[in-house]
Amino acid sequence: GGILSSAVNMAQAALGAGTLGFAAALEKCGIGIGIFFTLCFAFTTVFSVRLLCHCMEQTHKTTYEDLVAKLIHPRAKTLLSTIIVVFYWGTTILYVIAIGQILHPLTDSDSFPDWMRGEYGGRAVTTIFWLFIMLPLSLLKEMNSLRFSSALGIVTIFILMFAIMYHAENDSPDWEGANWGKMDTGVLAALPTICFSYSCQALCFPIYHEMHPRTPARMTKATGVGMFASTIVYLCCGIWGYVNFGSHTKGDILQNYTNPTGKAYLMAAFVGMGATITFSFPVCIVPTRDSLLNVMGYRDVYSTPPLKRIAVAAFLSLTSLVIGLFISNISVVFDLLGGICGSSVCFIFPAWLALKSKNFDVKHQGWPTIIGTWALLAVGIATCVLGTAVSCYNEFSK
C-alpha cells in the first residue's frame, strides 16, 4: 500500500459509472459552470480525505463508523452505517445496470445465439458475467488485493475517454452551439451527478489502513494524484460527449452510440468501460460489507470469521444483481445516490467530524482549514437538499 497503489485505488473508487453520466451533467449546467463544479468537488474530495485522516490519527480509530461514534455520538454510528450501505450498495446496483447496457449492444446481433439476444438474453448474459467475474472479485478480503485490477480499470477507462473524443472530432462536434453556462435549475440538477462521481471518501479508511508507511500527508498526496487523473477523464468524456450530442445527450453516454460493433474504437470503448465497472464493483462491495459487519458487532474485517465475511459479501453482490436486472433508468440512481448519500458520507460527515475533533481551532489549524471545513459542510448541505430536490423534480415531471 504505497502512494502509487493507494492513488490507483482512490482513482478507481471515484471513476466508474460516474463517467457515463458526466456529459449529461454538463448538458444540464453548461461547460463552463460544469468545469467549475468539477474542480470544486475534486478539491473538496482531497480536503475531506485530509480531514478524515487527521481525525483517524487523533482518535486511533480505523473505521468510519467508530470515528463517528467517538467524535459525534454512538447513535450517529448507526445512521452513518445505514447511509454507507445504501450508497455503496446502490452504487453496485448502478454498476449492474451499466454492465447490462454495455453487454447488450455487443451481444444483440445475428452473430450471437438467440438466447443471448433481446431483453431476456441481455439479463442472461449479465447474470453469467456477474457469476464468473464480478462475484469472485467481490469476495476478496482486502482492498489492496484489488490494486492490479484497479490499475487495469484505470487503463481501460482512458480507452473510453479517447474513443469519446475521437468519435466527437470525426462527427462534426458543435462547439459553437454548446452552452457554456446556464442560469436555470439545470445548474443545481447537475450537482448530484458530479458529487456522485467524486464519492470515494468512505474507501479511504481501508486504503489508509493498508498504506505503509501511513501518514495523513502521504494519503492526501495519493488522493490528490487519484483525483487529478479522475478529473481529466471526467472533463474529457463530459465535454466531448456533450458537444457531440448536444441536447440529445443521454444519462448514460454509451446509449448515444448505436451499433458499437461496427466501429473498432467504439467496441474497444464498450469493452474497456465494462472492465472498469467490473473492477469498480468489488471496490464498492468492500465498504458496504465492512459497514454491515460493524453493525453485526465485528470490529473490522480482520476480526470477522472468513465464512461470515464471504457470506455477507456474496449476499450484497447477489441482491445488487437481482435488483439491477430490473431497473433501466440510470439517471434517477445517480441523482438519489449522489444527492442524498454521497453528499452526507463525503462532505457533511467529514466536516462535522473535523469540527468536533480536539484542537480544531484557528490557533492549531489556521484560518484556511477552518474556513475550508465550514465551506465543505455548506457544499454538502446544498448538494443534498437543493441538488436532490431539483433533480428529482426535473426527472419525475417529464
Side-chain angles (χ1 to χ4, degrees), residues 84-165:
I84 289 178
V85 168
V86 172
F87 178 68
Y88 284 104
W89 180 63
T91 302
T92 60
I93 294 174
L94 192 151
Y95 286 156
V96 171
I97 299 172
I99 281 292
Q101 293 178 348
I102 290 171
L103 292 176
H104 186 261
L106 299 179
T107 59
D108 194 24
S109 65
D110 294 336
S111 58
F112 287 89
D114 292 340
W115 69 268
M116 300 179 66
R117 296 153 56 188
E119 179 181 353
Y120 294 102
R123 290 174 181 171
V125 171
T126 302
T127 302
I128 294 173
F129 187 86
W130 168 87
L131 180 63
F132 289 100
I133 300 179
M134 299 172 77
L135 176 60
L137 289 174
S138 303
L139 304 181
L140 294 175
K141 180 179 180 180
E142 295 183 337
M143 181 73 71
N144 200 42
S145 302
L146 300 168
R147 63 188 184 278
F148 298 114
S149 60
S150 294
L152 179 59
I154 296 296
V155 172
T156 55
I157 207 166
F158 272 95
I159 296 176
L160 171 67
M161 181 186 76
F162 288 121
I164 291 176
M165 297 172 68

Side-chain angles (χ1 to χ4, degrees), residues 336-358:
L336 295 179
L337 292 180
I340 299 175
C341 301
S343 59
S344 300
V345 172
C346 304
F347 301 108
I348 295 177
F349 270 102
W352 193 2
L353 287 167
L355 293 171
K356 296 285 288 186
S357 63
K358 185 179 179 181

Side-chain angles (χ1 to χ4, degrees), residues 158-181:
F158 272 95
I159 296 176
L160 171 67
M161 181 186 76
F162 288 121
I164 291 176
M165 297 172 68
Y166 181 81
H167 186 277
E169 291 299 328
N170 287 272
D171 194 35
S172 301
D174 187 13
W175 290 99
E176 295 183 0
N179 199 315
W180 288 82

Side-chain angles (χ1 to χ4, degrees), residues 267-314:
M267 184 76 168
F270 270 67
V271 173
M273 192 62 208
T276 299
I277 291 177
T278 299
F279 299 137
S280 296
F281 184 84
V283 170
C284 289
I285 287 290
V286 168
T288 314
R289 176 202 68 192
D290 291 351
S291 292
L292 280 181
L293 291 176
N294 196 277
V295 171
M296 292 168 63
Y298 296 101
R299 184 171 58 86
D300 52 37
V301 67
Y302 303 99
S303 60
T304 305
L307 287 179
K308 289 189 176 181
R309 167 179 58 81
I310 293 174
V312 169

Side-chain angles (χ1 to χ4, degrees), residues 8-337:
V8 168
N9 273 329
M10 288 298 291
Q12 183 62 21
L15 291 168
T19 313
L20 303 178
F22 225 81
L26 296 189
E27 191 277 330
K28 292 177 182 177
C29 64
I31 295 177
I33 294 178
I35 292 175
F36 173 75
F37 281 164
T38 302
L39 295 178
C40 286
F41 276 105
F43 174 79
T44 53
T45 298
V46 178
F47 183 66
S48 61
V49 170
R50 175 193 164 196
L51 293 179
L52 290 174
C53 291
H54 164 79
C55 293
M56 278 189 278
E57 289 296 324
Q58 186 182 91
T59 61
H60 303 292
K61 300 296 183 181
T62 59
T63 67
Y64 210 159
E65 294 82 1
D66 289 343
L67 193 59
V68 168
K70 174 71 175 179
L71 294 178
I72 298 178
H73 194 279
R75 292 184 179 179
K77 174 180 178 179
T78 303
L79 173 62
L80 177 67
S81 296
T82 302
I83 294 175
I84 289 178
V85 168
V86 172
F87 178 68
Y88 284 104
W89 180 63
T91 302
T92 60
I93 294 174
L94 192 151
Y95 286 156
V96 171
I97 299 172
I99 281 292
Q101 293 178 348
I102 290 171
L103 292 176
H104 186 261
L106 299 179
T107 59
D108 194 24
S109 65
D110 294 336
S111 58
F112 287 89
D114 292 340
W115 69 268
M116 300 179 66
R117 296 153 56 188
E119 179 181 353
Y120 294 102
R123 290 174 181 171
V125 171
T126 302
T127 302
I128 294 173
F129 187 86
W130 168 87
L131 180 63
F132 289 100
I133 300 179
M134 299 172 77
L135 176 60
L137 289 174
S138 303
L139 304 181
L140 294 175
K141 180 179 180 180
E142 295 183 337
M143 181 73 71
N144 200 42
S145 302
L146 300 168
R147 63 188 184 278
F148 298 114
S149 60
S150 294
L152 179 59
I154 296 296
V155 172
T156 55
I157 207 166
F158 272 95
I159 296 176
L160 171 67
M161 181 186 76
F162 288 121
I164 291 176
M165 297 172 68
Y166 181 81
H167 186 277
E169 291 299 328
N170 287 272
D171 194 35
S172 301
D174 187 13
W175 290 99
E176 295 183 0
N179 199 315
W180 288 82
K182 297 183 180 180
M183 299 302 294
D184 54 26
T185 56
V187 174
L188 295 177
L191 285 176
T193 298
I194 301 177
C195 177
F196 172 87
S197 301
Y198 284 97
S199 299
C200 58
Q201 284 82 341
L203 293 167
C204 79
F205 287 85
I207 295 174
Y208 185 64
H209 179 75
E210 296 165 16
M211 174 178 273
H212 299 287
R214 180 172 61 245
T215 66
R218 283 169 56 84
M219 187 62 191
T220 301
K221 183 177 180 179
T223 305
V225 173
M227 294 309 103
F228 175 78
S230 301
T231 300
I232 296 297
V233 172
Y234 286 145
L235 290 180
C236 288
C237 291
I239 293 173
W240 268 268
Y242 168 49
V243 299
N244 192 173
F245 301 106
S247 60
H248 300 289
T249 305
K250 297 184 179 180
D252 179 354
I253 188 66
L254 293 183
Q255 291 186 317
N256 282 105
Y257 302 101
T258 58
N259 190 27
T261 55
K263 297 178 180 179
Y265 66 91
L266 284 181
M267 184 76 168
F270 270 67
V271 173
M273 192 62 208
T276 299
I277 291 177
T278 299
F279 299 137
S280 296
F281 184 84
V283 170
C284 289
I285 287 290
V286 168
T288 314
R289 176 202 68 192
D290 291 351
S291 292
L292 280 181
L293 291 176
N294 196 277
V295 171
M296 292 168 63
Y298 296 101
R299 184 171 58 86
D300 52 37
V301 67
Y302 303 99
S303 60
T304 305
L307 287 179
K308 289 189 176 181
R309 167 179 58 81
I310 293 174
V312 169
F315 171 78
L316 291 170
S317 185
L318 176 61
T319 51
S320 299
L321 170 71
V322 173
I323 296 176
L325 289 176
F326 297 95
I327 297 178
S328 59
N329 194 337
I330 202 170
S331 298
V332 174
V333 182
F334 275 133
D335 293 340
L336 295 179
L337 292 180

